[in-house]
């Protein structure tokens, strides 16, 4: 990509200005998307289904039907995907889930798994 800049060096009308051209070259750099991570909820025998639905609604902004579907997937499959995020956001959501679970005396486990593209 080349950019041509034109600079007029006119000194307040005292002398006739000259025009200079400068060519700047900029290498094209390819911008990579950040890697994505799945936030997983894991089944246990103690955390209630209602609590898991509430977590999915408050932390992951899921509506009731989607939160219920994910919760049932966790219950039947042993694990369910709560959402897909960049690493930093995913780590924050995992920490929030663990904090909420501990405060409510549940052993709910949440983890990150890198998405393979």
């Amino acid at each position: 990509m080349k950019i041509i800049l034109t600079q007029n060096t006119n000194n307040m009308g005292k002398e006739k200005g000259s025009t200079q051209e400068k060519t700047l070259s900029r290498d094209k750099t390819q911008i990579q998307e950040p890697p994505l991570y799945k936030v997983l909820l894991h089944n246990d025998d103690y955390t209630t289904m209602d609590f898991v639905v509430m977590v999915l609604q408050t932390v992951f902004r899921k509506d009731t039907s989607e939160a219920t579907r994910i919760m049932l997937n966790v219950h039947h499959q042993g694990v369910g995907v709560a959402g897909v995020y960049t690493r930093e956001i995913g780590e924050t959501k995992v920490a929030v889930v663990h904090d909420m679970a501990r405060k409510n005396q549940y052993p709910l486990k949440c983890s990150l798994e890198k998405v393979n593209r």
Side-chain angles (χ1 to χ4, degrees), residues 19-30:
T19 301
Q20 298 175 356
E21 286 189 7
K22 295 180 183 178
T23 303
L24 302 176
S25 294
R26 186 184 325 173
D27 293 333
K28 264 192 170 179
T29 57
Q30 196 171 29

Side-chain angles (χ1 to χ4, degrees), residues 1 23 28 34 36-38 57 69 71 74-75 78 80 84 86 95-96 98 100 102 107 109-112 114 116-117:
M1 171 201 264
T23 303
K28 264 192 170 179
L36 297 176
Y37 292 81
K38 293 186 266 186
Q57 289 175 319
R69 183 188 58 75
M71 176 274 299
V74 170
H75 181 68
V84 178
T86 59
V96 169
H98 286 159
M100 287 176 69
R102 299 309 169 259
K109 183 180 175 195
C110 190
S111 65
L112 285 181
K114 191 170 185 179
N116 295 323
R117 293 189 207 189

Side-chain angles (χ1 to χ4, degrees), residues 39 41 51 55 59-60 92-102 108-110:
V39 178
L41 291 175
F51 182 76
V55 165
V59 177
F60 298 97
T92 301
K93 293 202 181 275
V94 168
V96 169
V97 169
H98 286 159
D99 187 52
M100 287 176 69
R102 299 309 169 259
L108 182 61
K109 183 180 175 195
C110 190

